[in-house]
Amino acid sequence: QVQLEESGGGLVQPGGSLRLSCAASGIIFSMYSVAWYRQAPGKQRELVASITHGGSTNYADSVKGRFTISRDNAKSNLHLQMNNLKPEDTAVYYCNGRGYKGDGWGQGTQVTVSS
């Protein structure tokens, strides 16, 4: 069973930074492609950034140049460094994993960007 747990969300002012983390268990993390999604109130869940088991990354146009996704296979952790945050980045952020045991989702962590 894929188990994912996010942390690091919170309230930040516009222009600020946050670092999200996702701890994985129950899988061989290095064999999984993982990603961050977000869902704002009244909107569909959308892909923010992804990183394959080989390390290739992909970003939504809205976060390019501001967010950086990274993985630590030794610790089974996924991270999302978010800089220059904007009010429109406010959402619940979810960790997602895809691999040999199927898909898994974390419970989400709230990010609120407001002055």
Side-chain angles (χ1 to χ4, degrees), residues 12-18 66 82-87 89 113-114:
V12 63
Q13 292 186 342
S17 298
L18 279 176
R66 300 188 298 123
M82 305 186 294
N83 297 328
N84 190 22
L85 282 160
K86 303 176 180 180
D89 295 318
V113 185
S114 175

Side-chain angles (χ1 to χ4, degrees), residues 1 5 12 23 33 44 50 55 59 71 74-75 83 94 100:
Q1 184 178 1
E5 184 173 0
V12 63
S33 291
Q44 289 188 331
S50 64
Y59 295 91
R71 63 189 300 160
K75 296 182 178 179
N83 297 328
Y94 297 91
Y100 64 97

Side-chain angles (χ1 to χ4, degrees), residues 28-110:
I28 301 173
F29 184 72
S30 61
M31 297 179 67
Y32 261 64
S33 291
V34 284
W36 289 98
Y37 285 74
R38 67 186 180 187
Q39 188 166 19
K43 295 187 177 181
Q44 289 188 331
R45 191 172 296 189
E46 63 176 359
L47 176 68
V48 175
S50 64
I51 183 167
T52 67
H53 57 82
S56 296
T57 59
N58 181 55
Y59 295 91
D61 287 343
S62 60
V63 307
K64 282 181 180 176
R66 300 188 298 123
F67 291 10
T68 302
I69 190 171
S70 63
R71 63 189 300 160
D72 183 340
N73 289 335
K75 296 182 178 179
S76 298
N77 283 351
L78 175 69
H79 302 288
L80 185 68
Q81 178 65 43
M82 305 186 294
N83 297 328
N84 190 22
L85 282 160
K86 303 176 180 180
E88 52 264 41
D89 295 318
T90 295
V92 177
Y93 284 70
Y94 297 91
C95 178
N96 168 264
R98 297 186 177 185
Y100 64 97
K101 281 191 177 181
D103 281 18
W105 292 91
Q107 81 289 347
T109 186
Q110 176 71 45

